[in-house]
Amino acid sequence: MTDIPTTAAAEILGTTDPFAPRKDPFVTLPLPAARALTLLGAVATIASTFMSWTYTTDFPGDLTVNGYPGGLQVITLIGAILTGLIALGAFRVKGLAWLVPSRSNNAVLLLAAGTFATTWYTVIAIAQELGGLANLDPGGFVAAVASLALLIGALALPIDRHPLEQPDADYYELGRFSENGAFRGTWAWLREARLRHSELPVADPRKLPTWVQYLAIIVVAAAGLKVLTYGLATGYTEVFVGYLILVAFTLWSFSAAGLTRQFSQITTDHRPFAMIVGVLAAIAYPFAQNNEHWANLGVNILIFGTVALGLNIVVGLTGLLDLGYVAFLGVGAYAAALVSGSPYSIWSGTQFPFWAAALVGMAASLVFGVLIGAPTLRLRGDYLAIVTLGFGEIFRIAVNNLDGVSGPKVTNGPNGIAQIPDLSIFGYNLGDSHDIGSFTLGRFANYYLLMLVITVIVVLIFTRAADSRIGRSWIAIREDETAATAMGINGFRVKLIAFALGASLAGLAGTVSAHVTYSVVPNPYQFSGSAPPNSAFLLAAVVLGGMGTVSGPVLGAALLYLVPEKLGFLQRYELFAFGVTLILIMRFRPEGIIPNRRRQLEFHEAETEVPAPRAPGDGAVTAGQAGA
Amino acid sequence: MTTTETTGTAPAAQPDGTPLLHASGVIMRFGGLTAVRNVDLTVNSGEIVGLIGPNGAGKTTFFNCLTGLYVPTEGSVSYRGTVLPPKPHLVTKAGIARTFQNIRLFANMTVLENVLVGRHTRTREGLLSALIRGPRYHKAEARSRARAMELLEFTGLAGKADHLARNLPYGEQRKLEIARALASEPGLLLLDEPTAGMNPQETRATEELVFAIRDQGIAVLVIEHDMRFIFNLCDRVAVLVQGQKLIEGTSDVVQSDDRVIAAYLGEPIATTEGDAGTDAGTDGATDAETDTDPDGGSAAGEQENDR
């Protein structure tokens, strides 16, 4: 009885290529008008930031001054300028076209959206915090309208999007009335609205002169450092929110523009140089600001990131789910504290030099890693997760009880080992401030630099191990353990090596962490808590950042550390927010923020039918298509 | 029983004779189920031996017993005169490599990396060596890569070395599995249904590949359902039915054996007209499957009693 519109389906199937790239605007306007509106919106937004947005100085970051942007206005200003530049690049204006090698307007749309979001967030925050729209100056309204115009203009540009969904025969005949069919139908518009720019051809950056490539690496490193220090320096939650919004949208937009792809090609071609510049930028961090608080943040992020990198060997490469990993950090920290010369240590007389303490910490973690790993690594999958989860808790509880009352006196129980003296390396006391030229390196800056050395060592260990016979066998075990053993890999042995290596790297980081925090107490070394590092956060950093990559876990660690630090209001909902974020990431970007090339191919197979265009030798094809 | 075909082209090809793999009295029980009953099998060097049997006959279980994935309940498996340890990686190290019935590649590694993993037992570089990266490490790594590329040339996958294994078409995944197994420099290669799901051209190509492997001096034991493939390829064929070895012999012997036909087709209908078709060499498989021999009745009856 129901009419089956097969003819309609056939027509659609016959006339359109289902996978044809689609360039449709979201808002219908003539193209010149859309472009004009975009540029006009950008200019007006820029102009608006020079006006006063509110009457009072009650809102954080003085927004009352005419002719001088402050606080969130600066972020809006930067966003609008970037949008304007990218728009000119996307419109192929001579001299700026290189900004958008993918020729996609998606880059414009994303930056416009970022600017719009920041501006409207500011305006709404002013109205909400100060009680009503009455607190807005005309400048605030101008900014709101201008950024809205900018967004509408960008929406009216032809946007590269996912192909239209085909109402295929199955759907019409079987699925139409089924739950699934209805579901698919309802959400089709949303899927069709998704942007699609990852396969657009971009010019091959290897054709650029070498010095330009080197310069690009330096500029990006410097800009990254500047952006990072700016973000850390933001004193107000509101400004940090605006900053986060803009940074996220800008990075997304650069990826849509194809700049990210070009840059990653450059860094793979000049890997040693890129690494050196990256390290130099990291060294410059404590010099770029003279604030001990930020240096402290830096150390903690590095410790957290280094431990996450160690966990990445276990989880990302070998595929062993370790839920008690933070215990190894604790073992390292306690071992270092015991030989640090602290008066609360049972061996209060012994004070090892740092290298010896680091070795002791590593060795202790290694021993524990082998002790835990040897009986459990014969198991597969979930069993290991449960055992490691148990071990993590056992460590914390045992350390709590080794106080001389419930058990032998080793760790002073909940009081921990306090008054750990500062390290002194070659007569350089890390506890004192040192003047280098016009810069002053405080205590945390010293530790930051020490930790940076350790991070670099861990990165080297990670990359070298991953790209070798042993690393390949780890990945093989992750992929298919049965096949791996049939290929002659001693699964148990190889897994134990990964487990022990991961553990000792965490122990190494732990030795520094003990000295940075002056004291070691059992409480932070638990499965989950509201502050990093704990096992759940470490795992989240690895998964969020990107499994199997170097930069992923470090970035994930930085985000997981900074966001709760800066967004105080989240505190009560922090774990909830992380849960939601992780679910969203797993659903929409399972390979993490920074994808491993392998994993990206794995998860987005349908979207990339051909292997990665980044493979050596294939670049010429894309370059040819781009005609650059 | 012995190989008749020797090839002059391959320098490494050893003539028949020396037993390479010797399985004697292998019994595999899973609880009350006996999957493999008292099977003896010998593979000589330079030989291609086929293992056929209806679905569920215990062929793959027997394979798993040979490669250490299962520990046989009774019986022993020896390779070059020494009893094999019941650990897959030690079996591979001893010189037996295998492929799997349902392809088990390392899907998210590149084609080259898959083959490099196969080199695991023939290289020694450990973690320290990888971290220090001395000249010895670089030399070993370069040698492994060269050997892996050689094998990819051999199997015709060299052009796809940088592709992810999961992105290869089906037939090439099968080839890659063989290349990966060859990378462990085996003396004996076990192939578990290498042509499953292939079209006739691909099957033909696989046949050539297996001959080429044999010509390199590697003995091959192959499980297959494609009778034409088996009888073309194998010097000897063993038939496994219900976990028991029914018969072992040259293609002709096996094809004309009534019990084999009965095992594949069930009890013959006594009234069917007999047709002389079983002696055809290459077409034997299809003939054997379509024809029913009136004389097979008694054999089938015995088979029935065994059940």
Side-chain angles (χ1 to χ4, degrees):
Chain A
M1 298 303 127
T2 52
D3 63 324
I4 300 167
T6 40
T7 48
E11 254 172 42
I12 293 165
L13 285 172
T15 49
T16 55
D17 174 8
F19 294 109
R22 197 158 73 98
K23 256 173 135 46
D24 291 337
F26 286 101
V27 177
T28 328
L29 270 184
L31 184 58
R35 289 185 168 184
L37 187 59
T38 309
L39 293 176
L40 205 68
V43 172
T45 310
I46 292 171
S48 76
T49 61
F50 288 90
M51 299 163 77
S52 159
W53 285 14
T54 177
Y55 295 112
T56 65
T57 50
D58 290 348
F59 191 76
D62 194 353
L63 308 185
T64 58
V65 189
N66 269 315
Y68 189 83
L72 276 161
Q73 287 176 323
V74 178
I75 292 172
T76 301
L77 174 66
I78 295 171
I81 291 175
L82 280 174
T83 315
L85 286 175
I86 290 284
L88 290 175
F91 305 156
R92 314 313 294 167
V93 172
K94 262 209 170 358
L96 287 175
W98 62 271
L99 275 172
V100 189
S102 71
R103 297 161 176 252
S104 170
N105 290 317
N106 294 15
V108 186
L109 175 62
L110 288 168
L111 254 174
T115 311
F116 170 79
T118 318
T119 312
W120 278 62
Y121 167 75
T122 312
V123 170
I124 291 170
I126 292 173
Q128 198 249 326
E129 282 178 32
L130 303 180
L133 285 171
N135 292 291
L136 283 173
D137 259 351
F141 290 108
V142 172
V145 172
S147 60
L148 183 63
L150 171 64
L151 182 65
I152 292 173
L155 282 171
L157 297 169
I159 300 296
D160 295 291
R161 284 150 71 183
H162 265 259
L164 289 169
E165 298 215 346
Q166 299 306 319
D168 54 7
D170 271 358
Y171 169 66
Y172 274 105
E173 286 167 20
L174 302 169
R176 191 179 184 186
F177 302 105
S178 73
E179 241 173 87
N180 193 28
F183 182 78
R184 280 184 54 184
T186 318
W187 293 100
W189 65 271
L190 193 61
R191 283 195 302 275
E192 284 165 5
R194 278 188 300 169
L195 305 182
R196 177 174 179 157
H197 42 245
S198 53
E199 308 96 282
L200 293 173
V202 294
D204 189 355
R206 281 173 289 191
K207 294 193 173 171
L208 291 168
T210 319
W211 67 269
V212 176
Q213 301 188 26
Y214 283 133
L215 190 67
I217 293 174
I218 294 171
V219 167
V220 169
L225 181 65
K226 179 69 203 157
V227 170
L228 188 70
T229 46
Y230 183 89
L232 287 177
T234 52
Y236 305 105
T237 306
E238 289 82 0
V239 183
F240 188 73
V241 170
Y243 162 86
L244 266 191
I245 294 174
L246 188 65
V247 167
F249 274 100
T250 307
L251 292 180
W252 193 1
S253 159
F254 283 175
S255 136
L259 290 171
T260 317
R261 248 188 297 166
Q262 286 190 327
F263 183 69
S264 68
Q265 177 70 60
I266 291 178
T267 49
T268 32
D269 288 352
H270 307 281
R271 188 167 287 284
F273 182 78
M275 276 189 82
I276 289 169
V277 171
V279 170
L280 285 178
I283 290 175
Y285 167 74
F287 295 99
Q289 35 79 15
N290 255 337
N291 187 325
E292 275 292 273
H293 179 61
W294 305 343
N296 186 13
L297 275 184
V299 191
N300 285 322
I301 289 173
L302 278 187
I303 291 172
F304 188 22
T306 307
V307 180
L309 210 50
L311 180 63
N312 201 12
I313 294 179
V314 181
V315 174
L317 291 182
T318 323
L320 307 168
L321 185 54
D322 186 345
L323 295 180
Y325 190 70
V326 81
F328 298 121
L329 179 73
V331 170
Y334 267 98
L338 285 175
V339 298
S340 68
S342 155
Y344 293 93
S345 157
I346 43 166
W347 302 306
S348 54
T350 48
Q351 181 164 13
F352 281 24
F354 175 65
W355 62 267
L359 284 183
V360 168
M362 279 180 82
S365 291
L366 182 81
V367 168
F368 273 91
V370 172
L371 278 181
I372 302 305
T376 53
L377 287 175
R378 293 173 199 277
L379 307 172
R380 289 188 186 186
D382 308 345
Y383 300 105
L384 183 71
I386 292 164
V387 171
T388 51
L389 177 65
F391 165 67
E393 287 304 294
I394 287 170
F395 170 78
R396 187 174 58 87
I397 294 164
V399 160
N400 246 325
N401 286 327
L402 292 177
D403 56 356
V405 180
S406 323
K409 187 174 165 68
V410 182
T411 62
N412 293 330
N415 295 327
I417 299 172
Q419 290 185 25
I420 298 171
D422 278 309
L423 287 170
S424 175
I425 299 172
F426 301 123
Y428 183 98
N429 190 332
L430 274 74
D432 301 336
S433 293
H434 294 263
D435 290 325
I436 295 175
S438 59
F439 299 104
T440 307
L441 286 180
R443 177 174 184 273
F444 287 116
N446 293 329
Y447 278 110
Y448 172 84
L449 292 177
L450 173 67
M451 198 56 220
L452 188 61
V453 173
I454 288 173
T455 306
V456 169
I457 292 173
V458 171
V459 167
L460 275 180
I461 289 177
F462 181 88
T463 48
R464 292 196 158 188
D467 177 34
S468 71
R469 171 176 175 267
I470 190 90
R472 284 192 296 267
S473 56
W474 288 338
I475 300 171
I477 293 232
R478 182 191 75 195
E479 292 291 313
D480 186 336
E481 190 163 348
T482 305
T485 51
M487 286 304 114
I489 293 169
N490 184 344
F492 172 65
R493 186 191 146 88
V494 166
K495 284 195 285 186
L496 191 60
I497 291 175
F499 206 72
L501 179 66
S504 46
L505 294 183
L508 178 62
T511 57
V512 180
S513 132
H515 288 274
V516 172
T517 52
Y518 296 112
S519 66
V520 188
V521 287
N523 221 26
Y525 306 110
Q526 53 189 347
F527 172 68
S528 90
S530 55
N534 53 56
S535 295
F537 268 58
L538 282 167
L539 206 59
V542 173
V543 173
L544 197 73
M547 290 211 274
T549 61
V550 174
S551 39
V554 179
L555 178 76
L559 277 180
L560 285 187
Y561 202 91
L562 277 183
V563 171
E565 176 80 25
K566 285 285 177 187
L567 301 182
F569 68 89
L570 263 182
Q571 228 152 36
R572 284 173 60 197
Y573 308 101
E574 194 179 289
L575 289 176
F576 172 73
F578 281 147
V580 171
T581 314
L582 271 180
I583 290 172
L584 290 179
I585 286 265
M586 283 294 98
R587 172 62 188 80
F588 293 105
R589 203 174 165 87
E591 70 274 19
I593 299 172
I594 297 179
N596 187 342
R597 188 169 65 88
R598 290 195 191 101
R599 291 194 81 78
Q600 187 164 34
L601 286 171
E602 173 187 353
F603 286 117
H604 296 289
E605 198 178 22
E607 293 167 29
T608 45
E609 293 291 319
V610 283
R614 219 180 295 156
D618 288 355
V621 181
T622 43
Q625 286 168 349
Chain B
M1 286 293 266
T2 52
T3 29
T4 49
E5 197 175 328
T6 47
T7 47
T9 50
Q14 288 181 353
D16 44 317
T18 52
L20 207 55
L21 177 85
H22 183 69
S24 63
V26 173
I27 298 177
M28 185 72 215
R29 284 196 201 96
F30 299 105
L33 176 82
T34 309
V36 177
R37 306 175 190 206
N38 212 6
V39 174
D40 300 321
L41 188 76
T42 305
V43 180
N44 298 318
S45 56
E47 213 179 14
I48 301 176
V49 178
L51 190 59
I52 60 172
N55 286 328
K59 305 181 295 292
T60 299
T61 307
F62 182 60
F63 250 44
N64 288 344
C65 289
L66 295 184
T67 52
L69 278 179
Y70 294 158
V71 184
T73 319
E74 279 172 47
S76 70
V77 181
S78 59
Y79 177 75
R80 290 193 204 272
T82 49
V83 175
L84 283 173
K87 288 264 193 264
H89 65 272
L90 294 178
V91 170
T92 311
K93 194 168 184 180
I96 299 180
R98 71 169 293 176
T99 65
F100 291 89
Q101 184 175 357
N102 29 15
I103 303 175
R104 301 187 83 147
L105 288 169
F106 307 123
N108 298 308
M109 299 176 86
T110 65
V111 169
L112 181 65
E113 282 170 334
N114 265 279
V115 183
L116 284 173
V117 170
R119 297 271 310 158
H120 191 87
T121 50
R122 303 301 164 215
T123 44
R124 299 214 51 79
E125 281 63 44
L127 179 63
L128 269 186
S129 164
L131 295 183
I132 296 164
R133 304 241 155 156
R136 183 125 52 92
Y137 170 85
H138 285 290
K139 212 182 283 176
E141 191 75 3
R143 215 171 27 236
S144 277
R145 275 170 199 275
R147 177 72 187 132
M149 281 313 290
E150 242 172 66
L151 283 168
L152 288 180
E153 296 278 358
F154 177 68
T155 46
L157 293 171
K160 296 200 168 178
D162 288 329
H163 290 219
L164 283 192
R166 65 180 306 126
N167 291 346
L168 291 186
Y170 183 81
E172 291 184 346
Q173 291 198 352
R174 286 257 179 229
K175 277 187 188 167
L176 177 56
E177 240 200 341
I178 294 175
R180 186 180 69 177
L182 287 175
S184 66
E185 293 169 14
L188 172 67
L189 181 63
L190 308 184
L191 301 176
D192 200 344
E193 299 199 19
T195 68
M198 284 186 173
N199 64 29
Q201 283 81 19
E202 286 171 329
T203 306
R204 226 10 249 162
T206 308
E207 216 172 287
E208 296 299 324
L209 186 64
V210 175
F211 276 128
I213 289 167
R214 196 268 310 272
D215 290 349
Q216 290 193 342
I218 299 168
V220 180
L221 176 60
V222 53
I223 293 180
E224 193 44 83
H225 279 300
D226 186 333
M227 294 302 156
R228 189 188 298 250
F229 177 80
I230 280 284
F231 292 128
N232 270 352
L233 202 64
C234 297
D235 304 310
R236 261 187 311 131
V237 177
V239 184
L240 220 54
V241 176
Q242 300 257 314
Q244 279 179 316
K245 193 167 81 174
L246 205 59
I247 186 174
E248 182 182 336
T250 56
S251 307
D252 294 340
V253 174
V254 170
Q255 279 172 62
S256 50
D257 191 276
D258 303 328
R259 290 172 301 171
V260 177
I261 299 160
Y264 267 92
L265 294 180
E267 202 176 332
I269 300 155
T271 52
T272 316
E273 264 187 79
D275 198 340
T278 49
D279 56 338
T282 49
D283 293 338
T286 41
D287 289 345
E289 279 175 27
T290 47
D291 288 358
T292 46
D293 202 319
D295 295 341
S298 57
E302 285 164 25
Q303 183 65 31
E304 186 70 20
N305 292 339
D306 280 353
R307 287 173 200 174

